[in-house]
Amino acid sequence: MQRQENTSLDDLGQNVRRAFAECCDGNPDVLAYAPGRVNLIGEHTDYNDGFVLPMAIGCGTMVAGRARADGQIKVFAVDLDMSRSSFATDQPILPDAQQPWSNYVRGVAAALQEDGLTLSGADLVIAGNVPKGAGLSSSASLEIATGLVLAALAGQPDYDRTALALAGQRAENEFAGCHCGIMDQLVSARARSGKAMLLDCRSLDVVHADMPKGLAIMIVHSGIDRGLVDGEYNIRRIQCYAAAQHYGVAALRDLDVAGLEAGKHGLDPIAYLRARHVVSENERTILAADALQNADLAELGKLMADSHISMRDDFAITTPEIDRLVTLLQAAIGKNGGARMTGGG
Ligand code: GLA
């Protein structure tokens, strides 16, 4: 497992350097890598100020960069047949509808500038190996790797990683049109190898959790394209906010299951179901972090199974094919672990 990870990282590095030499003549000044992620549990809790328990995976995005004196940022995408896009750092940075892939880069540059970083011009070359559209956060890994390179070229190689994650989230919200939470960017920016990360999405405090010895994390692709398009995601967000307003709380994180039941009168039935998922999922996530700590895989498996049922019945983000696959995996794993759908849906 470890060896495979290193090999693919080496390959990416070589790829990106070779491409840099071809399209920009010479070598990059900076190389940065950021991983994709898988979420063990805590789905759609992040934008409700709740807890999530993701970890980095062995695939990610590598960005090579070199400063330019003319203030232009020129970007080349190795995986898109060397598509290119460019923009100026001394003009307002705007999204480009013709080249949506470049909006992650543009959005991060704009956010870092807004945060007070004086960006230098740059040649950037990007290559990645996170499967796209598979719910493994290829876009967050692109945002974070881009941010690391831009910050380093601006003379701040130790730029705060939480600030970088927030800039990536703004890129996603304002330039890519997905009103995602902070989980993907924060785990990509701050995860430690081989550890899960319990993240409090209100305080942004992180606890790096050891994994039980011998535990394997398997990511199984259903073969079905990602179903929850950004529009559906954004609708779930609105429903959650409506529920929080009904209960008079800042976010659903501030409710427990008893409070949810006691105050449900007058709440739209769909909003109630969405809220029930978030409130129960939040509780499961904290329990799952304990179960992981205690190497209690049977308990972890039960929490994962309940999480899947809640995503299926209350949050309505699974499909019959995925439900079936999860049932098969759960039967195969038994009490030695668990299975659930992961990601936005
Ligand atoms: C997507 C979003 C995250 C999170 C998950 C669901 O991955 O980018 O912020 O909301 O969905 O848990």
Side-chain angles (χ1 to χ4, degrees), residues 31-103:
L31 219 60
Y33 171 82
R37 65 98 188 92
V38 64
N39 190 18
L40 302 182
I41 195 164
E43 224 62 87
H44 290 266
T45 43
D46 61 349
Y47 55 81
N48 290 296
D49 278 4
F51 290 86
V52 291
L53 188 63
M55 65 186 297
I57 57 171
C59 303
T61 305
M62 183 88 78
V63 176
R66 189 178 59 200
R68 291 177 64 96
D70 63 1
Q72 292 283 315
I73 295 191
K74 295 190 187 271
V75 197
F76 301 83
V78 175
D79 307 320
L80 299 174
D81 289 333
M82 292 309 273
S83 293
R84 54 183 71 191
S85 172
S86 57
F87 55 95
T89 52
D90 58 358
Q91 306 284 322
I93 301 174
L94 300 170
D96 179 357
Q98 302 308 313
Q99 286 181 306
W101 64 269
S102 75
N103 288 334

Side-chain angles (χ1 to χ4, degrees), residues 28 66 87 137 172-173 182 221 253 273:
R66 189 178 59 200
F87 55 95
S137 289
E172 193 89 41
N173 292 173
I182 189 63
H221 198 309
R253 183 249 177 82
L273 290 178

Side-chain angles (χ1 to χ4, degrees), residues 104-339:
Y104 301 104
V105 177
R106 289 164 182 268
V108 170
L112 290 176
Q113 238 181 13
E114 241 171 54
D115 290 345
L117 200 71
T118 307
L119 294 183
S120 110
D123 288 319
L124 301 178
V125 174
I126 299 167
N129 59 6
V130 184
K132 312 267 178 307
L136 298 173
S137 289
S138 55
S139 62
S141 77
L142 167 58
E143 287 149 11
I144 300 306
T146 300
L148 286 168
V149 169
L150 291 178
L153 293 177
Q156 298 212 28
D158 298 323
Y159 198 77
D160 180 71
R161 292 212 166 212
T162 300
L164 213 53
L166 288 164
Q169 183 194 20
R170 260 156 52 220
E172 193 89 41
N173 292 173
E174 290 161 22
F175 278 65
C178 179
H179 294 276
C180 66
I182 189 63
M183 167 170 71
D184 306 344
Q185 289 77 13
L186 207 71
V187 65
S188 182
R190 295 188 55 189
R192 298 204 182 139
S193 174
K195 298 202 181 215
M197 198 174 105
L198 179 67
L199 161 62
D200 178 337
C201 297
R202 174 169 277 165
S203 65
L204 303 187
D205 287 342
V206 155
V207 178
H208 297 283
D210 286 328
M211 304 294 279
K213 275 216 164 49
L215 183 70
I217 306 292
M218 232 167 86
I219 300 168
V220 181
H221 198 309
S222 62
I224 298 168
D225 280 343
R226 187 165 174 258
L228 189 63
V229 289
D230 292 346
E232 281 290 320
Y233 182 95
N234 295 343
I235 290 172
R236 297 295 185 288
R237 250 195 114 135
I238 292 167
Q239 290 166 332
C240 290
Y241 288 149
Q245 260 186 338
H246 166 87
Y247 285 99
V249 292
L252 288 178
R253 183 249 177 82
D254 299 312
L255 271 185
D256 58 15
V257 173
L260 178 90
E261 292 306 320
K264 73 179 179 192
H265 184 69
L267 177 61
D268 166 70
I270 297 283
Y272 163 73
L273 290 178
R274 305 299 185 247
R276 189 167 72 174
H277 164 73
V278 172
V279 171
S280 62
E281 182 78 351
N282 208 33
E283 293 182 358
R284 282 188 291 273
T285 304
I286 296 166
L287 292 172
D290 286 344
L292 206 58
Q293 172 100 33
N294 302 329
D296 186 346
L297 297 183
E299 171 69 3
L300 187 65
K302 185 180 175 315
L303 292 164
M304 289 175 82
D306 290 346
S307 168
H308 188 88
I309 292 170
S310 176
M311 290 191 292
R312 184 191 68 197
D313 297 347
D314 287 358
F315 221 64
I317 52 172
T318 73
T319 64
E321 296 86 348
I322 293 204
D323 296 338
R324 177 90 185 109
L325 178 60
V326 165
T327 306
L328 288 172
L329 290 167
Q330 285 169 345
I333 294 167
K335 289 196 186 308
N336 298 316

